[in-house]
């Protein structure tokens, strides 16, 4: 029995299982019985261990409370947030397709208003309106053009951590927010996948793949879509505290595993059967046709992990000299590092030998210290985690001496002057505390002023859109939200300088 418990451990935080009174009694008075209402585990001992930390460390109680409160609030406003997103997307595209407000008025008077069509090649996401850049920086010595034609100035140097490769990764991460028809017009597109999340009961995980050339490619890029601004499910996933423990590997954020299609909490045994198995078992699973078998073939067919892995193997076989990069911004960054993590677990050594690097931007924490130590030994500095200034998302979920979520990998931290340094952990790793509050707001004012003058100082390619300026204004309320936006990461890569570190072309 003890061995079985050790091999199958998980904790699920369920905000809907208790009320406000239960939450207050747990949070204010430390009533563990009320706190237990919100927790569901693989066995009672898991919950007891979790609640024992509440007594030892008051921060741990705060962590669970914040997770519950934020998920309740986000779910409460989920539909209004979704409707707002649809309206904002529509209005932004309506204005851009009709040459902004004056053009819209003129077209209206002439009866020539262009109506946006969601999913079309001209329908751009809110992220795309905030930052419309799609080309790589031409000032890098080893840059290449990744448009559909084969005009290549000079092939990119395939070196993990290379500045040009970081630029390519960030642009791919930003493009992941667009629909497939937009992406097809930009690069040697391979495929775009809308993958199933059984917990959310919808296709809410998006990922696309492209190569640097149609034939004899040297580089394959896998880019996961990040947290969408108006998607409540994405934000709920970011604030989730639930975990699944994989023996010898470590504890992993359950919401991110669900986003990859590697299980779902309504049937916790699905994690065990989809993750804790051998490489041969999975290969057999991918070829079986009998839907009545008990190894979740429908999950294998629709999940992001298995879909991407299947296509990646095919591409690596087709392009014998190619290496691959996995990347993503925000939630996409979490999925980007978990993808090779599961490849390691499944002993996909031939695939991993051709992994060039993992580049993430504004990525939340994905697991505990044990997971980090294990993966650092396997990736051997092929994993670069970039953090810009006060970005709130890399500070999630909360981390302290007893809390399980820890960052790992090489952290490249850039401040608001685009001065970077290699660190183990970004400053103010939890984004809380009065000591940091005033500097955060002062910095938000500076970023707004800086944004208004970016074009004059650095050139037209750095001029911020009016949508970007509005985003900066939002930072005056919550600085960490505006700091999370992709323009900060693109500008840090292109304008930034790293101190006391020698890395490739930096």
């Amino acid at each position: 029995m003890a061995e079985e418990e050790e091999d199958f451990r998980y904790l699920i935080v369920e905000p809907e299982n208790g009320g406000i009174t239960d939450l207050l009694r747990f949070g204010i008075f430390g009533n563990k019985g009320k706190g237990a209402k919100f927790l569901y585990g693989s066995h009672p001992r898991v919950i007891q261990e979790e609640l024992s930390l509440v007594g030892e460390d008051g921060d741990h109680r705060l962590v669970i409370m914040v997770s519950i409160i934020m998920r309740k609030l986000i779910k409460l406003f989920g539909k209004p947030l979704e409707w707002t997103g649809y309206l904002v997307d529509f209005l932004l595209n309506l204005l851009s397709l009709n040459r902004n407000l004056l053009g819209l008025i003129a077209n209206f008077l002439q009866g020539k208003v262009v109506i946006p069509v969601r999913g079309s090649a001209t329908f751009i996401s809110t992220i795309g309106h905030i930052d419309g850049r799609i080309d790589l920086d031409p000032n890098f010595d080893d840059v290449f053009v990744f448009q559909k034609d084969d005009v290549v100035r000079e092939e990119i140097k395939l070196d993990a951590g290379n500045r040009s490769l970081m630029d390519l990764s960030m642009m791919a991460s930003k493009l992941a927010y667009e629909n497939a028809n937009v992406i097809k017009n930009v690069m040697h597109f391979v495929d775009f996948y809308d993958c199933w999340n059984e917990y959310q009961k919808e296709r809410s995980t998006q990922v696309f793949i492209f190569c640097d050339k149609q034939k004899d490619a040297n580089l394959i890029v896998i880019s996961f879509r990040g947290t969408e601004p108006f998607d409540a499910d994405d934000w709920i996933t970011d604030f989730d505290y639930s975990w699944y423990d994989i023996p010898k590997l470590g504890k992993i954020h359950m919401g991110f595993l669900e986003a990859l299609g590697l299980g779902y909490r309504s049937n916790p045994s699905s994690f065990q059967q989809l993750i804790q198995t051998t490489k041969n078992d999975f290969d057999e699973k991918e070829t079986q046709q009998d839907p009545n078998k008990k190894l979740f073939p429908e999950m294998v067919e629709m999940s992001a992990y298995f879909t991407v892995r299947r296509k990646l193997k095919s591409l690596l076989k087709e392009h014998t000299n190619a290496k691959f990069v996995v990347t993503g911004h925000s939630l996409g960054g979490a999925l980007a590092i978990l993808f090779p993590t599961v490849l390691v677990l499944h002993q996909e050594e031939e695939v991993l030998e051709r992994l060039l690097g993992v580049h993430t931007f504004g990525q939340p924490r994905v697991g505990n210290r044990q997971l980090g130590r294990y993966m650092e030994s396997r990736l051997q500095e092929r994993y670069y985690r970039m953090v810009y200034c006060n970005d709130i998302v890399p500070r999630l979920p909360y981390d302290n001496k007893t809390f399980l979520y820890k960052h790992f990998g090489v952290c490249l931290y850039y401040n608001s002057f685009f001065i970077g340094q290699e660190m183990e952990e970004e400053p103010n790793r939890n984004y809380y505390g009065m000591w940091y509050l005033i500097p955060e707001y002062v910095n938000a004012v500076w970023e707004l002023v800086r944004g208004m003058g970016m074009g004059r100082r650095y050139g037209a390619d750095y001029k911020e859109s009016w949508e970007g300026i509005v985003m900066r204004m939002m930072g005056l309320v919550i600085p960490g939200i505006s700091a999370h936006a992709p323009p900060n990461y693109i500008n840090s890569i292109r304008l930034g300088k790293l101190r006391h570190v020698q890395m490739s072309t930096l």
Side-chain angles (χ1 to χ4, degrees):
M1 182 64 180
E3 290 183 4
E4 183 179 344
E5 289 183 355
E6 196 63 31
D7 289 341
F8 188 47
R9 289 167 54 87
Y10 61 86
L11 181 82
I12 300 173
V13 180
E14 299 180 317
E16 63 276 7
N17 283 4
I20 299 299
T21 302
D22 298 315
L23 187 60
L24 291 175
R25 289 182 179 178
F26 170 63
I28 298 175
F29 302 108
N31 187 318
K32 296 182 181 181
K34 298 299 181 183
K37 281 189 172 185
F38 298 99
L39 305 179
Y40 176 74
S42 49
H43 38 81
R45 185 161 56 85
V46 171
I47 298 175
Q48 291 170 6
E49 290 173 358
E50 197 70 32
L51 291 174
S52 69
L53 295 176
V54 170
E56 296 176 5
D57 189 345
D59 283 354
H60 201 77
R61 184 164 67 239
L62 176 63
V63 167
I64 298 175
M65 280 190 63
V66 169
S67 176
I68 294 169
I69 292 171
M70 291 304 299
R71 288 171 63 193
K72 279 180 174 289
L73 287 174
I74 295 170
K75 188 172 184 178
L76 177 64
F77 294 102
K79 277 300 177 183
L81 189 64
E82 180 183 349
W83 297 333
T84 300
Y86 276 105
L87 179 61
V88 170
D89 282 346
F90 178 82
L91 291 177
L92 291 178
N93 281 279
L94 182 67
L95 289 171
S96 64
L97 290 174
N98 290 279
R99 305 185 310 279
N100 291 321
L101 184 59
L102 293 179
L104 176 61
I105 294 172
N107 284 352
F108 177 77
L109 294 175
Q110 298 174 49
K112 298 180 179 179
V113 175
V114 181
I115 304 297
V117 178
R118 183 173 293 273
S120 68
T122 58
F123 194 94
I124 307 300
S125 70
T126 297
I127 296 293
H129 282 285
I130 289 174
D131 191 300
R133 290 173 286 189
I134 58 173
D135 290 331
L136 299 178
D137 190 335
N139 296 316
F140 293 150
D141 293 334
D142 52 356
V143 74
F144 74 103
V145 178
F146 64 107
Q147 268 74 12
K148 289 177 69 176
D149 56 26
D150 282 314
V151 180
V152 178
R153 287 197 293 275
E154 187 175 344
E155 281 190 356
I156 198 165
K157 295 177 182 178
L158 298 185
D159 179 17
N162 173 281
R163 192 168 184 172
S164 296
L165 193 55
M166 293 289 285
D167 188 41
L168 170 62
S169 297
M170 183 58 226
M171 295 303 287
S173 298
K174 186 173 76 73
L175 277 168
Y177 289 98
E178 307 302 335
N179 68 66
N181 288 314
V182 172
I183 298 171
K184 284 178 182 178
N185 291 329
V186 178
M187 59 192 65
H188 295 301
F189 178 77
V190 174
D191 216 335
F192 180 95
Y193 304 101
D194 268 311
C195 298
W196 185 254
N197 184 322
E198 179 66 19
Y199 174 59
Q200 296 177 359
K201 298 295 183 183
E202 62 180 349
R203 294 184 179 273
S204 58
T205 301
Q206 288 75 31
V207 54
F208 78 94
I209 304 175
F210 71 93
C211 299
D212 64 332
K213 293 182 289 186
Q214 288 181 336
K215 296 182 179 179
D216 301 321
N218 294 309
L219 184 65
I220 300 165
V221 178
I222 301 167
S223 180
F224 288 90
R225 181 180 294 181
T227 305
E228 297 185 73
F230 301 101
D231 191 317
D233 288 330
D234 282 355
W235 286 106
I236 286 173
T237 298
D238 286 339
F239 279 97
D240 195 3
Y241 171 60
S242 308
W243 51 261
Y244 179 79
D245 191 2
I246 301 175
K248 299 181 181 180
L249 185 64
K251 294 178 180 177
I252 300 181
H253 189 290
M254 184 175 285
F256 299 151
L257 288 176
E258 288 171 323
L260 278 178
L262 290 168
Y264 48 98
R265 64 190 69 192
S266 59
N267 184 0
S269 65
S270 61
F271 292 103
Q272 189 176 32
Q273 296 191 49
L274 285 168
I275 299 175
Q276 293 177 227
T277 187
T278 67
K279 175 180 179 294
N280 291 334
D281 288 338
F282 273 105
D283 289 341
E284 179 185 350
K285 227 184 290 185
E286 290 183 0
T287 59
Q288 65 184 345
Q289 301 297 319
D290 184 2
N292 296 317
K293 291 185 178 180
K294 298 179 180 180
L295 291 176
F296 303 94
E298 70 283 356
M299 291 290 293
V300 172
E301 182 65 29
M302 299 188 295
S303 76
Y305 170 76
F306 290 105
T307 299
V308 172
R309 195 188 73 171
R310 207 159 36 233
K311 188 62 179 181
L312 176 60
K313 285 184 173 182
S314 173
L315 288 171
L316 291 174
K317 187 175 181 179
E318 177 184 352
H319 304 285
T320 55
N321 296 317
K323 293 186 177 182
F324 72 98
V325 168
V326 193
T327 189
H329 169 260
S330 191
L331 170 63
L335 303 185
I337 184 56
L338 284 183
F339 179 73
T341 297
V342 183
L343 288 178
V344 167
L345 185 66
H346 292 163
Q347 303 173 9
E348 293 286 354
E349 300 300 335
E350 291 183 6
V351 176
L352 289 165
E353 284 178 2
R354 296 171 70 178
L355 172 64
L356 175 61
V358 181
H359 297 150
T360 71
F361 308 89
Q363 170 216 311
R365 299 179 177 102
V366 299
N368 67 353
R369 193 179 301 280
Q370 179 187 357
L371 173 71
R373 288 172 177 166
Y374 185 87
M375 288 306 298
E376 283 178 336
S377 67
R378 296 303 304 269
L379 293 178
Q380 298 176 342
E381 294 194 356
R382 287 181 290 175
Y383 169 35
Y384 290 86
R385 181 177 62 84
M386 188 171 176
V387 177
Y388 170 77
C389 199
N390 293 323
D391 186 348
I392 189 175
V393 175
R395 277 88 175 180
L396 298 173
Y398 190 91
D399 167 40
N400 62 20
K401 62 182 180 181
T402 61
F403 196 55
L404 67 92
Y405 289 107
K406 307 288 181 182
H407 274 308
F408 61 96
V410 180
C411 175
L412 302 178
Y413 172 78
Y414 285 83
N415 65 20
S416 60
F417 293 96
F418 306 127
I419 303 298
Q421 57 185 311
E422 187 175 315
M423 311 174 71
E424 289 186 7
E425 184 72 74
E426 58 273 6
N428 185 18
R429 69 179 191 273
N430 290 315
Y431 194 76
Y432 298 111
M434 293 299 295
W435 179 260
Y436 296 97
L437 187 62
I438 294 176
E440 285 168 359
Y441 280 97
V442 170
N443 197 75
V445 174
W446 152 242
E447 288 177 332
L448 174 60
V449 174
R450 184 195 67 190
M452 292 178 176
M454 286 287 289
R456 289 192 297 272
R457 182 172 182 182
Y458 298 109
D461 199 40
Y462 294 91
K463 181 180 180 181
E464 295 202 350
S465 63
W466 68 265
E467 297 95 334
I469 297 300
V470 171
M471 173 203 67
R472 299 289 181 197
M473 293 178 178
M474 291 174 58
L476 300 179
V477 181
I478 307 177
I481 296 296
S482 60
H484 186 58
N488 299 308
Y489 286 92
I490 298 171
N491 293 338
S492 293
I493 294 169
R494 297 182 177 186
L495 302 174
K497 296 180 180 179
L498 272 177
R499 289 177 174 171
H500 308 302
V501 64
Q502 297 295 324
M503 278 181 51
S504 193
T505 61
L506 288 182

